[in-house]
Amino acid sequence: MIWLSIALLSLLALAPTAIPLWRRTRQIRDERSAALALHEAQLSEIDRDLAIGLIAPTEHDIARLEIQRRILVADTAPAEAADAISPLLVWGALGLIPAAAIGLYLTNGVPSMPAMPLGPRLVAQHEQNTKNDAVLSRLRQTLAQLPATDPNLRQGYLLLGQAEASRDHYAEAADAWKHALDLSFDAEVAARAAEAITRANSHVTPEALTLFRKALDAAPKDAPWRGPVQARIAEGEHDQDNP
């Protein structure tokens, strides 16, 4: 079944190129046939004119030679004007595209492996999300019970923020990282919290801008995230100047 799907997708992908090429080839063939038919009719006409005495033999020979020259031009010019590359080469190149795609797929793909239906995947994803929610809920309860002097408290909030950010729960991630910042300030954590706030609100809020500035002031000179933070600060200042 997968090979039929690959064949259909290949035809669909090549259709925008193959159809105009086929039309162009057919048009050239039709133009050549029409021109040759016209010149053949002209040859018959001058032969008839010679037979009934309308033109002299010398004129007939000159006209016949000119028409033959036009036949040669009509038979060769369309093919030369069509393209510098032979249509056969173009068709061959188009045929190689699906073959190359299949070869690339076979380097890492497994055609014999059946596709997993979407329904079971959604169910499995929902079950995994439910488990993650339960685990993170227990982690929050544990952190709420730890004393502020416990060294595991800050690390727990950092892990909680990373887990929430990995699920694109940016508001929850920002909240966890802000708790960690309350226990001990860290420039990188401040930048992460500010970025999470920005993504949660789809713009650089005043709170995020303040955190970005604090993170930049405390950041090491060689911190790899200084550039993105500076860009966020510029974005936030622009938003403030142009509400």
Side-chain angles (χ1 to χ4, degrees):
M1 187 64 179
I2 189 173
W3 299 113
L4 178 60
S5 300
I6 290 176
L8 293 176
L9 289 174
S10 299
L11 291 176
L12 183 63
L14 295 178
T17 302
I19 292 176
L21 179 62
W22 175 77
R23 288 179 176 175
R24 177 59 178 159
T25 304
R26 182 177 177 180
Q27 179 184 0
I28 292 172
R29 190 182 300 114
D30 292 343
E31 290 176 355
R32 182 185 305 158
S33 300
L36 291 176
L38 174 63
H39 296 321
E40 291 290 346
Q42 290 175 339
L43 285 176
S44 299
E45 184 179 354
I46 64 172
D47 288 341
R48 184 176 63 253
D49 291 345
L50 177 65
I52 62 178
L54 292 179
I55 60 175
T58 304
E59 295 175 340
H60 173 271
D61 293 340
I62 294 175
R64 185 178 183 84
L65 182 63
E66 175 62 20
I67 293 173
Q68 289 175 340
R69 185 190 68 80
R70 293 179 182 179
I71 290 175
L72 290 175
V73 172
D75 195 34
T76 57
E80 295 175 354
D83 207 334
I85 303 177
S86 171
L88 292 177
L89 293 178
V90 178
W91 283 111
L94 289 177
L96 287 176
I97 294 176
I102 292 173
L104 182 62
Y105 167 74
L106 291 177
T107 57
N108 293 299
V110 183
S112 59
M113 180 180 295
M116 185 176 180
L118 179 60
R121 282 188 289 169
L122 293 176
V123 172
Q125 183 64 43
H126 176 71
E127 292 177 353
Q128 185 63 43
N129 290 338
T130 302
K131 292 179 181 179
N132 291 339
D133 289 339
V135 171
L136 294 180
S137 179
R138 288 196 297 270
L139 177 58
R140 287 191 183 90
Q141 293 175 0
T142 301
L143 293 176
Q145 296 172 359
L146 292 178
T149 56
D150 193 319
N152 294 321
L153 184 60
R154 182 177 182 275
Q155 187 62 32
Y157 278 121
L158 292 176
L159 293 176
L160 179 61
Q162 291 175 358
E164 293 290 10
S166 66
R167 302 195 303 166
D168 295 338
H169 294 177
Y170 296 115
E172 292 81 356
D175 184 68
W177 281 328
K178 285 191 294 183
H179 277 87
L181 290 172
D182 291 338
L183 296 172
S184 177
F185 183 83
D186 181 270
E188 185 173 355
V189 176
R192 291 183 182 180
E195 181 65 24
I197 295 172
T198 300
R199 296 192 180 189
N201 294 275
S202 300
H203 70 280
V204 181
T205 65
E207 180 186 14
L209 182 59
T210 300
L211 279 175
F212 276 129
R213 287 170 173 167
K214 288 182 179 179
L216 186 62
D217 291 340
K221 298 297 183 182
D222 57 348
W225 43 267
R226 287 183 64 93
V229 167
Q230 290 173 339
R232 284 299 197 189
I233 292 174
E235 179 182 344
E237 291 176 346
H238 178 271
D239 292 342
Q240 286 187 346
D241 296 337
N242 301 275

